[in-house]
Amino acid sequence: MSVGSITQISAPLRLREPEQQRWEQECDVLVVGWGAAGACAAIEAHDQGADVLVVDRFQGGGASAKSGGVVYAGGGTAQQQRAGFADTPEAMFDYLKHETQGVISDATLKRFCDESVSNLQWLEAMGTPYSHTLPPGGKTSYPQDGYYLYYSGNELVPAYRGELPPPPRGHRTVGKGHGGVVLYSHLQAACRQRGIRSLTQSAVRRLVVNGENQVIGAEIWSMPADTKAARLHARWAQKAEKLQNLAPGYCNRLRQRLTALERKHACPVLVRARKGVVLSTGGFIFNKELIKEVAPKYRRNFKIGATGCDGSGLRLGLSVGAASDRLDTVSAWRFINPPQKWPKGIVVNARGERFYNEEVYGATLGHAICEEQNGKAWLILDKPLRRQSIRQALFGGYWWFQSVPALAMLLLSAKKGATPAELARKTGMDTAALEAALSAYNQAISNGQPDPMGKSAESCQALRQGPFYALDISVSSGVLPLGALTLGGLKVDEDSGQVLDANANPVKGLYAAGRTAIGIPSNLYISGLSLADCVFSGRRAGAAAAAEQPAATHAEALATA
């Protein structure tokens, strides 16, 4: 019988007399999910004096370890200062108001900005290194090795700028290749150095609640250690993460095998959490059925994340009456920089109408493509711009995952027309619409007028010399996938990270952090904001859970009733 690839979640185990139950393990704080948010929660809870146990379905890391390791930080970090940029928490707050659009309160956003410098310093204290070197131009989807501070959002876009010159706030973790694995390795090492206990290859399948509906533990299904099944589980899990970008179909089949192994060999372990449980298992982009239900527009998108991003934390919270929000909010990434020349072209929809500013951050553009254009868009270049882009892709020093797809699109898959009218016929666009889009763009440049879509003058270049080219930047592009990750999650108290129910009342004993919860990036993503929120929300939940009073025994509850 075939099985799905997501963690099986059951209704909570209800115990009227928990003290009579046999518990295999006990702790003060149980952290479910050992990515960046879970590691930060575990470290903070431990440092506040709690006995912590952290569990993970795999070996830890999750989407955090697969990420670029970019932390969005500002307000005057040491790296900003060494690079010669002035920044304040107020300026950071002013910019992020554009991006967050009230998804969290102003007070919480201000606290996030005020604590930005200290949270980056906290990461450095964990051993995570940062530097101040900027890539040429300052803006890119991801900077090359040797460059670690950059404009990771829309700071350079005129519509987002404040009164002062915008500073870069994307702090890429120093290390060869993607920095996420470096950042996470230091957080995991910090957990181990503190003696925080961990239980890996172990998935929580249901929470445990007492007679007052307070979460007091979890039932964990753990793979038996040092067995053939456990080794196979580890090998398949590692391969599924490593090959996701190259062979997603094969990796989906590996995930189904992983789930089958777990259902056949995993054994239950009942864990008591005297003070609280923190859910930090990531988002739910790998939960096919849930995506189909709440965000069907994104079923075709390439998945960004890790196998553990199956919504298990979300579903555990819902099982005990928690409320969720913004489950239909998905971040879709369509980066057209690098090559740095590409944003000088224009993006048009299926009809040939220009619909957005090309220099915006990739997730801002991707959101417009998926939400407003039914997933279909083209990037239009002329002969000189195509030639300049090819040269940049060949000799610009970009990452292979930036240069190779760009060259493939420029040289192999681009549609070509001697005139805009011919290009429109070959792509199915409306000839008049495409000609009008090019004419309006070129005329503004010739007359020295502002770009109709608000693009800065330095990002504008007239498109007049044929042949003309159309690059398919749609969701369906086989050369340049349009990736997506989920941003919705459980509603939480913004002062503590405690999970809330539908009436905004706290669910006793339950907390959430990272992409399992509504947080700073839950409106629209920019690079580094999720990892920064993992630190912010993870530490918040860990500290609050550690400060909780232990759950009362049945006898104590009766005595105080």
Side-chain angles (χ1 to χ4, degrees):
M1 181 181 68
S2 64
V3 297
S5 60
I6 64 173
T7 307
Q8 179 182 343
I9 302 298
S10 301
L13 173 62
R14 299 187 180 276
L15 300 176
R16 289 192 57 80
E17 298 186 18
E19 60 273 16
Q20 303 300 319
Q21 177 67 41
R22 178 181 177 275
W23 303 89
E24 278 78 20
Q25 293 201 42
E26 295 195 23
C27 60
D28 290 327
V29 177
L30 174 64
V31 177
V32 184
W34 202 8
C40 292
I43 293 168
E44 190 65 32
H46 172 274
D47 290 356
Q48 297 294 331
D51 174 32
V52 180
L53 173 65
V54 58
V55 300
D56 193 273
R57 185 182 172 192
F58 303 106
Q59 300 293 340
S64 301
K66 293 182 70 176
S67 75
V70 178
V71 176
Y72 194 86
T77 68
Q79 292 75 19
Q80 288 178 312
Q81 294 176 32
R82 286 199 291 270
F85 291 96
D87 195 13
T88 64
E90 291 74 23
M92 184 180 178
F93 173 86
D94 182 63
Y95 167 69
L96 286 178
K97 281 278 287 182
H98 286 275
E99 302 288 7
T100 56
Q101 293 292 310
V103 70
I104 37 88
S105 69
D106 282 358
T108 300
L109 181 60
K110 186 176 187 303
R111 187 165 67 251
F112 173 78
C113 296
D114 288 343
E115 295 175 4
S116 181
V117 170
S118 61
N119 275 331
L120 192 70
Q121 291 172 337
W122 184 85
L123 279 175
E124 291 179 300
M126 298 300 114
T128 311
Y130 295 94
S131 185
H132 64 282
T133 50
L134 272 80
K139 185 170 177 61
T140 177
S141 62
Y142 190 71
Q144 308 100 302
D145 273 341
Y147 300 105
Y148 300 102
L149 181 66
Y150 74 116
Y151 291 95
S152 64
N154 287 306
E155 296 89 350
L156 295 177
V157 180
Y160 291 81
R161 290 179 184 172
E163 296 180 359
L164 299 175
R169 299 191 180 103
H171 292 64
R172 175 190 161 202
T173 305
V174 175
K176 191 173 180 60
H178 276 198
V181 68
V182 178
L183 181 150
Y184 180 73
S185 66
H186 285 289
L187 289 175
Q188 190 176 64
C191 289
R192 287 172 171 156
Q193 289 163 5
R194 285 164 168 75
I196 294 173
R197 291 177 292 144
S198 63
L199 195 59
T200 56
Q201 293 185 283
S202 304
V204 173
R205 294 193 188 175
R206 61 174 170 171
L207 296 172
V208 182
V209 298
N210 63 14
E212 286 70 47
N213 208 40
Q214 179 174 356
V215 177
I216 59 170
E219 183 181 274
I220 301 165
W221 285 72
S222 185
M223 293 292 291
D226 298 322
T227 62
K228 180 180 179 180
R231 289 189 290 272
L232 193 59
H233 184 275
R235 187 161 65 249
W236 284 349
Q238 185 180 38
K239 187 177 291 187
E241 302 301 353
K242 186 176 181 180
L243 300 179
Q244 171 63 24
N245 292 355
L246 300 174
Y250 170 66
C251 292
N252 286 338
R253 292 191 293 274
L254 281 178
R255 293 184 178 99
Q256 291 177 343
R257 295 178 193 172
L258 284 169
T259 305
L261 270 180
E262 292 167 351
R263 292 184 180 181
K264 183 176 181 180
H265 297 282
C267 300
V269 177
L270 208 59
V271 175
R272 183 170 193 173
R274 290 180 288 266
K275 294 190 172 186
V277 174
V278 179
L279 301 175
S280 54
T281 63
F284 58 91
I285 194 63
F286 279 96
N287 190 320
K288 181 179 178 180
E289 292 303 316
L290 187 53
I291 290 292
K292 182 179 179 181
E293 176 186 347
V294 301
K297 291 179 182 178
Y298 298 91
R299 286 180 295 171
R300 297 177 294 163
N301 290 70
F302 180 81
K303 299 174 180 61
I304 300 173
T307 303
C309 297
D310 67 353
S312 59
L314 168 68
R315 290 178 287 132
L316 285 167
L318 295 177
S319 74
V320 292
S324 63
D325 194 19
R326 293 181 176 255
L327 298 187
D328 60 345
T329 305
V330 176
S331 179
W333 295 3
R334 170 50 75 224
F335 288 102
I336 56 171
N337 178 358
Q340 289 180 323
K341 291 289 184 179
W342 272 8
K344 293 178 181 288
I346 62 170
V347 292
V348 299
N349 59 20
R351 277 184 46 80
E353 301 160 329
R354 189 177 177 210
F355 65 90
Y356 223 74
N357 180 340
E358 295 79 14
E359 68 180 343
V360 296
Y361 174 69
T364 308
L365 178 58
H367 182 267
I369 292 173
C370 292
E371 289 291 326
E372 302 169 12
Q373 305 301 332
N374 198 30
K376 186 67 177 179
W378 300 90
L379 174 64
I380 307 299
L381 314 175
D382 69 351
K383 179 180 177 180
L385 189 53
R386 175 178 178 266
R387 185 173 61 246
Q388 295 160 7
S389 300
I390 291 172
R391 183 173 180 82
Q392 280 190 336
L394 286 171
F395 307 113
Y398 303 137
W399 293 97
W400 71 266
F401 58 81
Q402 296 167 333
S403 60
V404 172
L407 286 169
M409 294 188 75
L410 288 163
L411 298 173
L412 302 176
S413 65
K415 299 290 186 180
K416 177 182 177 181
T419 64
E422 183 181 337
L423 184 65
R425 288 194 297 271
K426 288 188 175 181
T427 55
M429 299 180 201
D430 179 81
T431 299
L434 180 59
E435 288 178 336
L438 285 165
S439 177
Y441 181 60
N442 292 335
Q443 186 174 352
I445 295 171
S446 297
N447 296 339
Q449 296 174 338
D451 175 64
M453 289 293 170
K455 189 161 62 173
S456 60
E458 56 266 28
S459 293
C460 293
Q461 178 174 319
L463 305 174
R464 293 192 177 95
Q465 185 177 342
F468 295 86
Y469 298 85
L471 309 184
D472 187 1
I473 57 171
S474 308
V475 169
S476 58
S477 172
V479 180
L480 195 65
L482 205 165
L485 59 85
T486 58
L487 299 178
L490 298 171
K491 287 187 176 181
V492 296
D493 181 289
E494 293 182 13
D495 291 328
S496 64
Q498 189 166 15
V499 172
L500 303 176
D501 65 16
N503 297 315
N505 296 317
V507 177
K508 292 182 180 180
L510 191 63
Y511 301 81
R515 298 289 56 77
T516 303
I518 294 294
I520 308 295
S522 292
N523 175 63
L524 195 62
Y525 187 87
I526 59 175
S527 286
L529 202 56
S530 186
L531 281 178
D533 184 60
C534 284
V535 180
F536 175 76
S537 65
R539 295 185 69 192
R540 175 181 68 186
E548 278 286 350
Q549 292 297 315
T553 65
H554 183 60
E556 291 170 337
L558 289 175
T560 57

